[in-house]
Amino acid sequence: MGNDTQQLSTTQSSVLEQVIINGDLRNLSPAERVEYYRRTCESLGLNPFTRPFEYIMLNNKLTLYAKRDATDQLRAIKGISIDDVDITETAELYVVKVKGSDKSGRKDTEIGVVSKRDMQGNIANAQMKAVTKAKRRLTLSLSGLGWTDESEIETIPNAHVVTVTEEGEIVDPEPEPESAPEMVLTSDGTPYDELPTDKLSARFNAMQKKLKDNGLTDEQKAEYEKKIKEAQR
């Protein structure tokens, strides 16, 4: 019995080691995938039976993304409160900046950007979606988690949601490979996803002000809109 317990402990350690090194849950067996999922929920105090996470193929690796159940539970566990919500809009987008804190007093700021064409053109729902997106991003950030939230998936190029059974079996076929999307960079050549939140927010504010300039050509306006959309990915 003692040897069995020791072997199980060694196996569990091996599971975590594989994920940490490779970052790809495809490399795990179905049983190991179930164990990793369970231990991830356990480490965060989440209820695995509510399925707070699902699977996504991102950058050619199978990983987890956070569902609403995850962020709702984390907000309660961490005592996260939303202290301020700032909503601005352009001709095409809603940009929401939220500030919040957790019960330890740690503070953070995040943003959520949604096209007004989302939600079948219902601008009220699109605005609420932007607020929700910002709040969930803030919750994950204050929780120290770098996972993608489900509200962001549709904005990520080549992302593919994968169905994995409760037994850890992958049932989705591999998606067809897609050509790499055009990379949009800042004026100094930096990818937007490499910018820290404060600089990203500052660039949003600056671009929003520039969009209000009546002297801009349609081409210049389109370029600013493209950069704002890229910044939300």
Side-chain angles (χ1 to χ4, degrees), residues 26-214:
R26 283 183 302 179
N27 296 333
L28 304 180
S29 69
E32 288 172 335
R33 221 172 276 123
V34 170
E35 176 65 14
Y36 175 75
Y37 190 103
R38 185 190 67 78
R39 294 189 69 185
T40 297
C41 292
E42 187 178 83
S43 68
L44 296 168
L46 303 180
N47 182 356
F49 296 108
T50 65
R51 298 287 292 186
F53 303 109
E54 289 296 350
Y55 295 83
I56 186 172
M57 192 67 71
L58 187 61
N59 298 324
N60 203 33
K61 293 182 178 181
L62 183 67
T63 186
L64 297 175
Y65 71 89
K67 295 172 57 185
R68 175 181 176 179
D69 292 300
T71 50
D72 284 353
Q73 291 180 54
L74 285 169
R75 190 171 294 144
I77 292 168
K78 303 287 185 180
I80 294 172
S81 61
I82 306 301
D83 303 324
D84 183 63
V85 178
D86 178 61
I87 303 174
T88 56
E89 63 179 292
T90 69
E92 297 290 332
L93 305 168
Y94 283 114
V95 182
V96 177
K97 180 168 69 173
V98 296
K99 297 179 181 179
S101 56
D102 63 17
K103 59 186 177 184
S104 72
R106 182 181 169 218
K107 299 180 182 295
D108 204 348
T109 302
E110 269 294 353
I111 57 175
V113 184
V114 170
S115 169
K116 290 181 177 179
R117 293 189 294 271
D118 281 10
M119 312 301 288
Q120 299 180 333
N122 186 317
I123 59 174
N125 287 341
Q127 186 182 80
M128 288 189 291
K129 181 179 178 180
V131 173
T132 297
K133 190 178 209 178
K135 288 181 177 179
R136 291 185 184 177
R137 286 169 59 95
L138 178 71
T139 298
L140 292 172
S141 178
L142 281 170
S143 300
L145 301 175
W147 278 312
T148 300
D149 175 70
E150 65 179 333
S151 65
E152 302 176 274
I153 291 176
E154 63 188 29
T155 67
I156 303 175
N158 302 326
H160 172 61
V161 176
V162 177
T163 300
V164 178
T165 68
E166 293 184 0
E167 292 74 32
E169 295 282 356
I170 299 173
V171 297
D172 273 13
E174 289 289 333
E176 291 295 325
E178 299 181 19
S179 57
E182 176 190 1
M183 180 173 287
V184 181
L185 306 176
T186 65
S187 56
D188 58 6
T190 304
Y192 279 92
D193 60 2
E194 293 182 7
L195 292 175
T197 299
D198 57 341
K199 291 187 178 181
L200 189 62
S201 179
R203 285 184 180 270
F204 263 114
N205 292 334
M207 287 190 287
Q208 290 168 39
K209 289 180 181 178
K210 289 180 180 179
L211 278 174
K212 296 177 182 179
D213 183 353
N214 294 326

